[in-house]
Amino acid sequence: MSELNQALRALPSVDEIASKVEGPRSLVVALTRAELAGRRELLLGGIPLPEEPPEEAVRRRLASEQRPSLRRVINATGVVLHTNLGRAPLADFEVPDGYSNLEYDLATGRRGKRDVHASALLERLTGRPGILVNNNAAAIFLALHELAAGYEVIVSRGELIEIGEGFRIPDIMARSGAILREVGSTNKTNLDDYRAAINERTRLILRVHPSNFHITGFTGKPALRELAQLAREHAVPLYEDLGSGCLVDLREFGIEEPLVSESLRAGVNVVSFSGDKLLGGPQAGILAGDGELIERLRRNPMFRAFRVDKLIYRAMETTLRRTVLQQLDRIPAMRMIRQSAVEIRGRAERLRSSLPGVATELAEGRSLVGGGSTPDQSISTWLIVLSEHNALDAEQVLRNGDPPVIARIVEDRLVLDLRTVFPEEEETLVTALQALSR
C-alpha cells in the first residue's frame, strides 16, 4: 500500500471526530466533513497535514459559525464617513423591545403612518415636509419616476455623475422612465443652455451636487436662485440632489458643503440627500420640499418598495432630534468632525504614555470626511505613527484582532488617527498595540 493511501486511511471517521465536539449534531457533522475533505485535498496535493488535531479544527470552525458576520471594528483611519466601515458611526439609540407604534396612532387608536416618526423633525430642520426611503439612490429614482416618467429631465453634462458602485445618474434616470436631456458641456453650463432646452415635454430640471469630485479651472454654472427663477417662469419643478445632506453649517470646521436649507430658500422645489453622510445618521435617503410634490412622491407605489423599517426610523429620529436640540456632540460623526487638532493631540499623547514598550511618534496629518463627501477637503489632525514595525505585518495583526482595528499606511508606515476612535475604545486600542511587541 502506498504512503498516500495509508495516510488517507489513517484519517479518522466523521463519527469519531464529531463525537468529541459539542454542538448541534447536524452542523458539527457538516463541519467535520468539510474539515476531512480539506485534509484529503492536502494529502492528494502532497502537502503535509496541519499539526492541529481535527477535532480542534472543527471546534474552531464551529466558533467561527457562532461569531456574527457584522461586527464592531475600531476605526483608526481618520476617515469619518468610511464607506467600507458603514459610513456614519451610529449614535446610541434605544430600540423598543417587542411591539411598537410604528404605524399606530396612539392618540386616536387608529392606523397611523410610519412617516410621523421623522417627518415633523425633518420639517423643523428644513422648513419643508420630508419623507424617508432606504437610500439616496432610491430617493433619486422615486423623484424621477413620479415627477418625470415618460418625459424629459434637463441635466447639465457636468452633473451626469456616478454616485458609487456603478450607479450612474443616466442609468437611474433610464430605469425610472425619465428621458435625459443633456445641456451645456462638462465644465461649463449657462442659464441660456437650460432655457433653450425647455419644451412641452420638459417635466423637471435636475441639479446634481458633485459631492464626490470637483472640476476646477474654466468652469461655470448658473446660480441656484437663477435656475429656480427660470423653473418658476416655465412652471417646471427644480429638483436638486445634494448627496451629502449637510443640515449643520460646518464651515468653521473647514467643511464647505451646501446646506439643505440654503437650497430650499433659494427656490429649489425638491431636494434629496443621504442620511448616513454629513447628517450622521443611519443609511437612508431623504426627500424634502414643496408639500404637494412630497405628497405625490409618498403616494407613488414605489415608495412602499423603498420604505425603511422601524430600526432605521428609530435611529433616524434619534439623529434628527439631537440635531434639532443642537446636541451635536451626541452624534458621533458631528463630534468627530468638530474635534480640534489640539484635542486629538492631547488624546494621542495620553495614549502613547500607556505604550512604553511600543515605539511610536506623533506627526501632523489630515483627517478625511469621506463617504463621497468633500473630496478636496480635509481636517488638521495628529497621527500616532508606529515607527519600528513592518507596516503591512502590523496592519494585518491589528485587523485580525478582536475587535479588529482598522488603521492606514502612509509612506510605508502604519498610522492611527484618534479622530475616529471613540474615547471608550482607547483602552482596547492600547491592548491591541501592546500585542504588537510580544
Side-chain angles (χ1 to χ4, degrees), residues 188-416:
K188 200 173 182 67
T189 303
N190 58 49
L191 197 62
D192 286 337
D193 293 323
Y194 287 96
R195 182 178 286 112
I198 296 175
N199 60 61
E200 68 280 357
R201 293 188 58 77
T202 304
R203 288 296 181 273
L204 200 64
I205 297 175
L206 172 61
R207 179 79 164 256
V208 182
H209 174 56
S211 56
N212 58 0
F213 75 98
H214 285 162
I215 298 177
T216 59
F218 185 60
T219 64
K221 62 182 180 181
L224 206 51
R225 289 190 181 277
E226 295 177 328
L227 199 55
Q229 177 62 34
L230 178 67
R232 282 194 299 272
E233 291 172 3
H234 293 272
V236 175
L238 173 60
Y239 164 41
E240 184 178 27
D241 172 45
L242 284 167
S244 60
C246 194
L247 291 178
V248 177
D249 192 343
L250 298 172
R251 278 172 282 211
E252 66 175 294
F253 305 102
I255 304 301
E256 290 279 349
E257 277 289 290
L259 292 170
V260 173
S261 57
E262 289 178 346
S263 291
L264 292 170
R265 283 198 298 269
V268 175
N269 301 104
V270 177
V271 295
S272 64
F273 52 93
S274 295
D276 57 350
K277 290 188 178 182
L278 288 177
L279 176 55
Q283 176 182 299
I286 299 174
L287 290 144
D290 296 354
E292 178 187 353
L293 297 180
I294 295 300
E295 185 56 32
R296 282 181 59 185
L297 297 177
R298 198 192 177 286
R299 291 197 304 266
N300 187 293
M302 294 305 296
F303 177 65
R304 182 177 179 86
F306 294 147
R307 71 180 184 177
V308 301
D309 76 346
K310 55 192 173 186
L311 295 181
I312 298 298
Y313 266 113
R314 190 68 182 92
M316 183 59 74
E317 179 190 359
T318 299
T319 302
L320 293 174
R321 193 175 303 283
R322 290 176 182 175
T323 304
V324 167
L325 297 175
Q326 298 184 24
Q327 298 172 343
L328 299 183
D329 281 344
R330 298 188 65 192
I331 302 173
M334 289 294 101
R335 183 175 67 246
M336 292 171 178
I337 289 172
R338 289 153 50 93
Q339 192 169 24
S340 71
V342 172
E343 292 175 275
I344 293 175
R345 177 167 185 166
R347 291 178 60 195
E349 288 175 339
R350 288 191 295 273
L351 189 141
R352 287 182 69 221
S353 68
S354 301
L355 297 168
V358 183
T360 62
E361 58 187 69
L362 285 185
E364 291 186 85
R366 309 294 296 183
S367 304
L368 299 176
V369 175
S373 303
T374 63
D376 296 336
Q377 301 175 56
S378 58
I379 312 170
S380 178
T381 192
W382 283 86
L383 306 172
I384 298 175
V385 182
L386 274 67
S387 50
E388 294 184 3
H389 286 82
N390 179 285
L392 291 175
D393 291 345
E395 187 276 336
Q396 184 176 16
V397 169
L398 292 176
R399 176 165 39 86
N400 291 331
D402 186 15
V405 175
I406 312 300
R408 58 189 171 104
I409 297 175
V410 178
E411 297 179 352
D412 296 324
R413 297 199 299 177
L414 191 69
V415 302
L416 302 98

Side-chain angles (χ1 to χ4, degrees), residues 140-155 172-181 201-206 236-237 239 293 296-297 300:
I140 297 170
F141 181 96
L142 180 64
L144 293 172
H145 184 266
E146 173 57 37
L147 303 178
Y151 293 90
E152 292 183 0
V153 178
I154 301 174
V155 191
I172 295 175
M173 189 173 291
R175 292 287 184 173
S176 73
I179 300 168
L180 170 63
R181 180 68 182 270
R201 293 188 58 77
T202 304
R203 288 296 181 273
L204 200 64
I205 297 175
L206 172 61
V236 175
Y239 164 41
L293 297 180
R296 282 181 59 185
L297 297 177
N300 187 293

